[in-house]
Amino acid sequence: MLAQLLNETLATLNKAIDQSKPDFRARETGRIIQVGGGIARIKGLSTITSEELVRFPGDVLGVAINLEPHEVGVILLGDSDKLMAGADVSATGREADTPVGEGLLGRVIDATGRVLDRGKPLNFKERRPVERPAPAIIERASVTVPLETGIKTIDALIPIGRGQRELIVGDRQTGKTSVAVDTIINQRNKNVISVYCAIGQRGTAVARVVNILRQYQALENTIVVVASDEDPPGLRYVTPYAATTMAEYFSEQGKDVLIVYDDLTRHARAYRELSLLLRRPPGREAYPGDIFYLHARLLERATHLHEKIGGGSLTALPIIETQAQDISAYIPTNLISITDGQIYLSPTLFHKGLLPAIDVGKSISRVGGKTQYPAFRDVAGDLRLSYAQFEELETFARFATRLDEETRATIEHGRRVREILKQAEHQPLRGSQQMAVLKAVNAGLFDHLELERIGDAEALIQKRILEELPELCTQMETGEKPTQAQWEQVLDVARKALAH
Ligand code: ATP
Ligand code: MG
């Protein structure tokens, strides 16, 4: 009898404790024992979990990432200037999270939802965790639809598919950001939502991108998420994960989303800074050993979702900066192995004025080729190979004094292809315009033209093709391959334009 009573009392007590647990956790407080450099070490938060949000005085938030037996290492998401050792902090019982929703489109914000564009307060109904598991294999489908960049060299020779991860890699000032921004601009009428995630850049550089997006009417369909070089390393570290959560809100509704991480070199640097401050042992090339996991778990979240769960997609364009063209350094090789290909930007080409400075020989897209429209494949088919052959021949021919007629013709033709692959910034082209021009150059229509006149001639073809064959243009852009007779029509338009 007594035993039964005791048991019941115990059960009631346990239940009461269980119910009060979240409440108790939310109120657990600790004390700062050290703060500075964007991190804080806390004593007294014994029930805290990894990635839990911690509230500091002055409403500064932090994320617990280092759990040790007697203290917790917290990365700060806000300004640490006013924080002092000895101050009380409280665990929130909440994971680090970020606002999501339609209200974020067209805005410039940080990972916590702080408004950076001086606009009205952010309109959102929901917050979601910053770190979320990547979709399982069974939830994924292969890529089938192209993500058109509007850049000839990429769409024709290194095509990207929706749901793919394509690295943009190159030294500083080689046009990495421009390639990504132009791709965002090209999505404005394509029903693809974009997220531009700026990590560790100067404020002026971000403002420049925002202005360009606004100027080309691409901002309203884009979320700009920023952690500048002046923000604490903790914020720079969580920003790409938060930006991905914002992007997934749309892809999980079946929409197509593009995300740009500009750039992950600076993200890796922020993490190294935090790790060293938290006294984690450095690993290879003085980076913490888990940095591979850091980027792998971020990029694993990009995918084409299966039709059964909406069929949305998240395409990722991470950017990496190399030093002295060394793509075999630690961070670039990590990322090359995580992604489905890379677009390599060469400073040599950049200085020669061959813009965009994409080195076709060192660039590759492993899955996008399957998604390329058949009409595109028709014209781009052996362009890649013949172009590579031309480059080799040209280098070789520099040493030769006299060339036979055939070699000379091949080189002259190659030079024209190279001229055609040049493209100004922020002027993405429609697929049909690209195909018409490439068809014309393949057919040798430019071969008699001086190099200086090619730019104008090309622009005229681009204009005329849309005016004269609008239906055929739509057909080529929706995937149907033109017949021989239709290709002839395209060439006729080009010939007429060139005769002009
Ligand atoms: P950083 O390493 O500083 O981030 P980046 O590699 O992102 O540089 P961008 O800022 O995109 O390079 O471009 C560098 C410069 O080259 C810019 O002034 C840009 O306007 C110019 N540029 C890039 N692409 C082109 C192009 N296709 N045509 C003309 N100018 C270009
Ligand atoms: Mg840049």
Side-chain angles (χ1 to χ4, degrees), residues 78-251:
D79 209 355
S80 62
D81 288 356
K82 296 199 183 75
L83 300 179
M84 295 220 264
D88 284 341
V89 301
S90 55
T92 58
R94 224 174 80 197
E95 262 178 284
D97 55 15
T98 192
V100 294
E102 277 77 15
L104 276 59
L105 290 171
R107 304 304 303 269
V108 184
I109 52 177
D110 79 1
T112 61
R114 195 160 54 103
V115 171
L116 305 174
D117 56 10
R118 300 200 204 102
K120 49 184 185 332
L122 197 64
N123 174 20
F124 66 94
K125 294 191 199 74
E126 193 187 342
R127 299 182 77 96
R128 288 190 184 169
V130 160
E131 294 268 7
R132 305 174 77 225
I137 298 289
I138 196 165
E139 294 169 342
R140 297 174 184 241
S142 51
V143 297
T144 48
V145 182
L147 182 103
E148 292 167 86
T149 62
I151 301 171
K152 280 172 285 186
T153 317
I154 302 180
D155 288 351
L157 304 176
I158 323 156
I160 304 172
R162 293 189 184 176
Q164 183 177 346
R165 301 155 303 173
E166 182 82 4
L167 185 67
I168 299 175
V169 55
D171 279 11
R172 54 179 302 278
Q173 287 288 305
T174 48
K176 304 182 294 298
T177 303
S178 301
V179 166
V181 168
D182 288 0
T183 307
I184 294 180
I185 293 175
N186 198 41
Q187 308 311 315
R188 63 194 157 183
N189 304 319
K190 297 211 158 45
N191 231 346
V192 176
I193 288 167
S194 304
V195 178
Y196 177 76
C197 173
I199 311 154
Q201 298 186 40
R202 272 172 297 115
T204 49
V206 181
R208 187 171 164 259
V209 170
V210 172
N211 281 337
I212 293 169
L213 292 177
R214 187 177 292 124
Q215 188 184 340
Y216 290 91
Q217 289 90 42
L219 189 61
E220 59 236 57
N221 233 7
T222 307
I223 307 173
V224 180
V225 196
V226 184
S228 80
D229 58 350
E230 285 170 14
D231 283 317
L235 192 64
R236 275 181 271 146
Y237 162 65
V238 299
T239 293
Y241 302 98
T244 311
T245 299
M246 294 174 195
E248 282 168 345
Y249 171 84
F250 296 103
S251 62

Side-chain angles (χ1 to χ4, degrees), residues 287-362:
Y287 266 101
D290 54 349
I291 209 138
F292 181 88
Y293 171 56
L294 207 70
H295 290 152
R297 81 171 189 261
L298 176 69
L299 292 169
E300 272 300 296
R301 289 165 71 178
T303 189
H304 176 205
L305 293 169
H306 204 279
E307 284 304 323
K308 285 185 193 136
I309 48 171
S313 71
L314 178 59
T315 311
L317 296 181
I319 297 180
I320 269 286
E321 182 184 301
T322 47
Q323 308 266 326
Q325 305 182 52
D326 182 12
I327 44 172
S328 62
Y330 184 41
I331 304 290
T333 43
N334 273 354
L335 276 150
I336 286 172
S337 66
I338 295 167
T339 48
D340 308 303
Q342 75 271 350
I343 293 168
Y344 179 76
L345 292 157
S346 141
T348 321
L349 295 179
F350 192 92
H351 292 130
K352 280 191 194 157
L354 299 171
L355 297 171
I358 300 170
D359 185 330
V360 176
K362 285 187 183 154

